[in-house]
Amino acid sequence: MGFRNIIGRRLGLGLVRRRKPFSTATCDGDGNGNAKSINLYSAINQALHIALETDNRAFVFGEDVSFGGVFRCTTGLADRFGKARVFNTPLCEQGIVGFGIGLAAMGNRAIAEIQFADYIYPAFDQIVNEAAKFRYRSGNQFNCGGLTIRAPYGAVGHGGHYHSQSPEAFFCHVPGIKVVIPRSPRQAKGLLLSCIRDPNPVVFFEPKWLYRLAVEEVPEHDYMLPLSEAEVIRQGSDITLVGWGAQLSVMEQACNEAEKDGISCELIDLKTLLPWDKETVEASVRKTGRVLISHEAPVTGGFGAEISASIVERCFLRLEAPVARVCGLDTPFPLVFEPFYMPTKNKILDAIKATVNY
Amino acid sequence: MVNTVLDFPGGKVVFSPEMRFLSESPSVYSQCYRVLDDTGQLISHSNFVPVSEEVAVKMYSNMVTLQTLDTIFYEAQRQGRISFYVTSIGEEAINIASAAALTSDDIVFPQYREPGVLLWRGFTLQEFANQCFGNKADYGKGRQMPIHYGSNKLNYFTVASTIATQIPHAVGAAYSLKMDKKDACAVTYFGDGGTSEGDFHAAMNFAAVTESPVIFICRNNGWAISTPTSDQFRSDGIAVRGQAYGVRSIRVDGNDALAMYSAVHSARHMAVNEHRPILIEAVTYRVGHHSTSDDSTKYRPANEIEWWRMARDPVTRFRKWIEINGWWGSEAESQLRSSIRSQLLHAIQIAERAEKPPVNDLFTDVYDNIPSNLREQEKLLKETINRHPKDYPADVPI
């Protein structure tokens, strides 16, 4: 299992070439009965179709979802399920989430879309103070577990401050919600269906960079992938790399190059950041003795810090080197300077070598 | 050819060459609907929804119970027996009359000054006491401060200290009721201060656009802690904002139980049958302090408070009306008050002596199941408790 099927190489190329899509087909399948080659937004679209067809109390709502959404994730839903179940909301994130909490509290599957993760902050109070605490504060008399909030996140090559953010760390600090980030189309469909059906409120960040670029064989049927289970997507023995979402493909390229220098890298996709699977990461670090975490979000206070602290707590004597973090810089996400800001393949490769040679 | 009307996406717009700004204030302030005058007599030519003797007496008894509950629990806090309390003195008519006009299927999203709605629906004095003492019988499992009641059985969502966050929840819940074609609506309460929050604006707008059967009841009691309404907004109160969102609204005398009953009854009918939100501004006065952590004589004159407590008491006003009807008397009054009082004292005694919830309840319900990080923390905590038992309250079972 790996990224062999994902055609999306971002790093090592110039800014212009990096943006060239490899496949824009929604469905250029080879006629294989049960799985078709589709991209990320189509996989998410499939998950949403399945969610609504298997539960007539499922709803999809948010800004511009009716015509298909700005990233086409909600294409066809309004036509198929009607505007009572798939509808545009006013431009108001706190309203989208607040309304979604009420809908979920009545036992419905409320699938809310926030147009860009950069705009999720007006809903932060509703997510942190309301959704996350709804069950606990009521003594389990009430819950809003049916709520799933989807938002595109991450660098896109030209997004600047407000179309590129990775805000996952803010949400990982909130007991009571789950935070899930898929790395590919096949993962996204299965994870999103699990999130929608999970009896807890979930924030699901979709790597927008991969919406069109990532193409993979995705089974057409209804399937779910487990939450809070990290996946070792590449076996290795010299160093453990931990990441999520779009960054994994960058990390895999670094692993490939490190291998040419005789360094065997183990790569783990965390998938669920909250609650996260410490056991899998720990087992890997016990094997390799070295760990490197990489994420696009700024390094200070990023989720890499939590992973690092937990691993040091649990594996201190096993570690052969300090925990490495290759992350975004501590700046707002820049436009012209994006290539400098980003945790590139070469930054990761340098850190792999430095850690191994420590 | 001159265009006088144009079809914009939002609808036809009539042009005018005269430049005229809409005034910031209405030419006439919104009328306030009332049915009973200050002496409890029916105002002539009033139209209202009639209330039977049985319902009227139940309403009055509940208002007295609420008033007594508040007096006794406030005292309990002063004596150090509970940590905190919030009274609803002066707002008994809003609490009880609105509850009486709803059905038990209507879903309630309170702020925190509406325990009367729970009371009306059958929450017992013991249940109120249990939550305030945070004992094992508290449905909230001791997790929140006193007065943060909730009851799924009675369709009353758990109180949270956050202001106005419940308002958009009510809209989502109302939408669900509409989808299920239920003969029910959602009702949410909030104060004048709460209408300044973004969540109020968001909810009103969503309710109108989604055509949801939700009743917004604003208790405009003149104060948000120490902030008078003149520092809160410059609109003509709250009802006038309805039109700005496309929401039908009314201003009501919140201390007139009959008017409140009628307004909520009618609002419910419109909400459920026409799938529309309704905004009710109930004008009243917060006679008590904001909470036991507040001394309101610091920011308002004591004689103003007294005047509203006595001359404008909604309980006395309604009592006069039921007495005029021959449905109540002073014997019934003293019997009721002493009975409630002794029940309350008894409930407090029981609640105070009851065990607290076990420390396990610190870790449950964060999620539907306990995740591994919490299991680990629970294990470590138990070890710590064993090592340092004196750091921990003796009345919480380990």
Side-chain angles (χ1 to χ4, degrees):
Chain A
M1 179 89 61
F3 275 89
R4 283 189 296 278
N5 290 330
I6 312 291
I7 314 165
R9 291 187 206 106
R10 296 166 59 196
L11 280 302
L13 305 173
L15 185 64
V16 171
R17 280 161 70 197
R18 211 179 78 198
R19 275 188 263 143
K20 188 178 161 118
F22 285 84
S23 166
T24 55
T26 328
C27 184
D28 55 3
D30 53 11
N32 181 347
N34 286 343
K36 288 226 176 93
S37 239
I38 59 171
N39 64 20
L40 181 66
Y41 76 71
S42 303
I44 286 166
N45 186 248
Q46 276 189 20
L48 295 174
H49 273 269
I50 289 170
L52 267 63
E53 115 204 343
T54 54
D55 184 348
N56 60 11
R57 305 198 66 188
F59 298 82
V60 170
F61 52 94
E63 295 154 24
D64 302 293
V65 302
S66 191
F67 88 106
V70 294
F71 289 111
R72 309 190 58 192
C73 293
T74 53
T75 307
L77 294 174
D79 283 341
R80 188 169 167 207
F81 298 102
K83 62 190 179 88
R85 293 181 66 195
V86 180
F87 51 93
N88 292 337
T89 61
L91 208 170
C92 180
E93 289 75 13
Q94 70 193 100
I96 291 169
V97 175
F99 175 91
I101 290 171
L103 198 54
M106 298 292 285
N108 301 293
R109 302 255 162 244
I111 307 164
E113 175 174 308
I114 298 293
Q115 197 156 88
F116 282 86
D118 312 59
Y119 312 138
I120 200 167
Y121 308 110
F124 199 66
D125 182 42
Q126 284 286 344
I127 295 169
V128 173
N129 272 335
E130 306 299 308
K133 298 170 173 59
F134 214 78
R135 185 192 294 274
Y136 192 80
R137 75 187 186 195
S138 74
N140 200 23
Q141 292 190 91
F142 300 104
N143 75 77
C144 61
L147 177 66
T148 302
I149 301 166
R150 300 175 36 246
Y153 89 97
V156 72
H158 52 274
H161 296 354
Y162 303 113
H163 297 83
S164 316
Q165 288 180 41
S166 297
E168 69 272 6
F170 297 117
F171 298 92
C172 292
H173 194 52
V174 185
I177 56 168
K178 295 193 176 182
V179 180
V180 177
I181 306 184
R183 69 173 184 269
S184 76
R186 197 182 84 79
Q187 291 292 312
K189 179 175 172 179
L191 286 171
L192 181 55
L193 280 166
S194 290
C195 291
I196 290 168
R197 294 162 174 165
D198 188 274
N200 297 288
V202 183
V203 180
F204 186 78
F205 288 117
E206 301 165 358
K208 68 172 84 66
W209 175 246
L210 301 183
Y211 273 147
R212 304 182 79 103
L213 280 198
V215 176
E216 190 177 28
E217 294 249 308
V218 177
E220 293 194 307
H221 60 266
D222 180 350
Y223 67 94
M224 303 197 330
L225 294 172
L227 302 186
S228 292
E229 281 186 29
E231 185 184 348
V232 179
I233 62 177
R234 181 200 185 92
Q235 301 259 16
S237 52
D238 294 329
I239 180 171
T240 301
L241 282 79
V242 184
W244 50 87
Q247 191 62 7
L248 283 165
S249 82
V250 180
M251 296 165 83
E252 181 153 54
Q253 289 167 45
C255 293
N256 288 340
E257 291 215 16
E259 186 152 37
K260 295 182 194 145
D261 286 332
I263 301 172
S264 163
C265 300
E266 180 142 295
L267 181 58
I268 299 179
D269 178 4
L270 212 54
K271 294 169 37 157
T272 300
L273 272 60
L274 185 74
W276 68 282
D277 179 1
K278 290 182 188 163
E279 285 71 30
T280 298
V281 179
E282 184 183 343
S284 173
V285 177
R286 288 208 175 282
K287 187 170 66 159
T288 64
R290 295 176 189 85
V291 61
L292 181 155
I293 306 149
S294 185
H295 56 66
E296 281 179 31
V299 63
T300 297
F303 195 62
E306 154 65 23
I307 299 171
S308 173
S310 287
I311 291 304
V312 170
E313 242 171 11
R314 295 157 96 96
C315 308
F316 180 70
L317 290 176
R318 176 65 189 92
L319 287 170
E320 304 287 339
V323 176
R325 289 183 296 165
V326 184
C327 303
L329 303 177
D330 288 333
T331 69
F333 200 104
L335 181 68
V336 161
F337 309 113
E338 176 170 331
F340 300 88
Y341 167 96
M342 290 290 278
T344 57
K345 176 204 77 174
N346 281 334
K347 283 185 184 174
I348 296 169
L349 190 55
D350 287 351
I352 290 173
K353 290 176 183 168
T355 304
V356 165
N357 295 328
Y358 186 79
Chain B
M1 251 323 245
V2 176
N3 277 349
T4 52
V5 172
L6 200 70
D7 257 317
F8 280 101
K12 285 198 194 315
V13 172
V14 178
F15 291 119
S16 160
E18 185 197 330
M19 180 177 71
R20 188 153 42 104
F21 285 77
L22 289 174
S23 173
E24 70 278 8
S25 49
S27 48
V28 177
Y29 285 131
S30 4
Q31 291 180 302
C32 184
Y33 169 61
R34 72 153 38 171
V35 163
L36 293 178
D37 67 19
D38 283 324
T39 67
Q41 316 238 36
L42 265 178
I43 296 170
S44 54
H45 310 302
S46 55
N47 64 317
F48 64 99
V49 176
V51 164
S52 68
E53 173 180 351
E54 190 190 336
V55 172
V57 168
K58 184 180 175 192
M59 278 169 64
Y60 181 71
S61 307
N62 272 269
M63 286 166 76
V64 169
T65 305
L66 176 56
Q67 202 179 52
T68 315
L69 164 74
D70 275 350
T71 309
I72 290 183
F73 276 43
Y74 186 89
E75 268 315 297
Q77 193 278 340
R78 281 323 196 211
Q79 293 164 15
R81 296 163 84 184
I82 56 176
S83 60
F84 176 79
Y85 193 72
V86 166
T87 66
S88 307
I89 308 282
E91 302 183 46
E92 295 88 351
I94 294 177
N95 267 249
I96 302 300
S98 67
L102 299 169
T103 73
S104 54
D105 291 331
D106 298 324
I107 314 286
V108 176
F109 290 84
Q111 181 63 81
Y112 49 62
R113 220 179 286 281
E114 305 91 17
V117 179
L118 257 185
L119 186 66
W120 175 269
R121 289 183 170 195
F123 209 61
T124 66
L125 301 180
Q126 191 63 64
E127 286 171 318
F128 280 109
N130 290 338
Q131 195 285 327
C132 286
F133 281 89
N135 65 34
K136 195 169 64 174
D138 168 25
Y139 302 129
K141 301 180 187 174
R143 293 163 180 159
Q144 291 207 92
M145 291 165 71
I147 69 95
H148 289 63
Y149 316 111
S151 168
N152 54 358
K153 201 173 51 143
L154 302 178
N155 286 328
Y156 187 99
F157 273 80
T158 303
V159 171
S161 318
T162 44
I163 299 293
T165 49
Q166 73 280 6
I167 311 177
H169 302 170
V171 182
Y175 190 82
S176 177
L177 292 171
K178 180 172 85 160
M179 287 294 107
D180 288 343
K181 297 181 166 46
K182 285 239 159 78
D183 176 10
C185 65
V187 184
T188 181
Y189 298 81
F190 43 91
D192 39 286
T195 67
S196 295
E197 280 283 1
D199 278 339
F200 167 77
H201 156 79
M204 288 282 286
N205 198 31
F206 269 66
V209 169
T210 58
E211 299 176 8
S212 293
V214 53
I215 305 176
F216 298 106
I217 300 181
C218 175
R219 295 176 294 95
N220 182 353
N221 64 19
W223 299 92
I225 309 188
S226 70
T227 305
T229 51
S230 55
D231 287 345
Q232 195 65 248
F233 45 72
R234 291 302 166 90
S235 51
D236 169 23
I238 313 304
V240 73
R241 300 191 199 172
Q243 195 169 64
Y245 295 104
V247 174
R248 191 172 293 172
S249 63
I250 188 169
R251 168 180 275 172
V252 183
D253 178 350
N255 288 5
D256 178 346
L258 273 191
M260 276 305 299
Y261 182 91
S262 296
V264 175
H265 189 276
S266 309
R268 187 189 180 282
H269 190 266
M270 288 186 274
V272 173
N273 292 66
E274 297 171 38
H275 294 147
R276 62 166 67 250
I278 306 285
L279 169 65
I280 296 177
E281 176 187 3
V283 181
T284 181
Y285 188 89
R286 193 198 73 210
V287 172
H289 307 304
H290 165 69
S291 73
T292 47
S293 306
D294 177 45
D295 172 11
S296 60
T297 61
K298 288 197 160 81
Y299 49 81
R300 55 187 189 173
N303 58 6
E304 174 187 302
I305 305 171
E306 269 317 287
W307 184 68
W308 279 92
R309 182 194 304 279
M310 303 307 295
R312 288 291 187 91
D313 177 25
V315 183
T316 316
R317 189 158 155 207
F318 195 57
R319 177 184 172 177
K320 290 188 177 143
W321 186 70
I322 57 172
E323 283 181 339
I324 286 168
N325 286 339
W327 299 338
W328 197 253
S330 52
E331 168 119 2
E333 177 81 14
S334 51
Q335 263 183 13
L336 175 67
R337 285 194 184 265
S338 67
S339 164
I340 300 294
R341 201 186 144 73
S342 62
Q343 284 176 58
L344 278 163
L345 292 173
H346 182 69
I348 287 179
Q349 261 196 351
I350 306 259
E352 194 166 35
R353 289 193 206 130
E355 214 176 37
K356 297 297 184 217
V359 80
N360 270 42
D361 278 342
L362 168 51
F363 297 99
T364 54
D365 306 329
V366 180
Y367 297 94
D368 64 317
N369 291 325
I370 305 182
S372 57
N373 60 318
L374 282 184
R375 288 207 185 282
E376 194 182 314
Q377 289 173 21
E378 187 177 9
K379 182 167 149 295
L380 288 171
L381 180 63
K382 294 216 163 129
E383 288 166 15
T384 305
I385 295 169
N386 277 337
R387 271 198 304 277
H388 306 280
K390 296 213 176 87
D391 285 353
Y392 301 99
D395 58 353
V396 177
I398 308 302

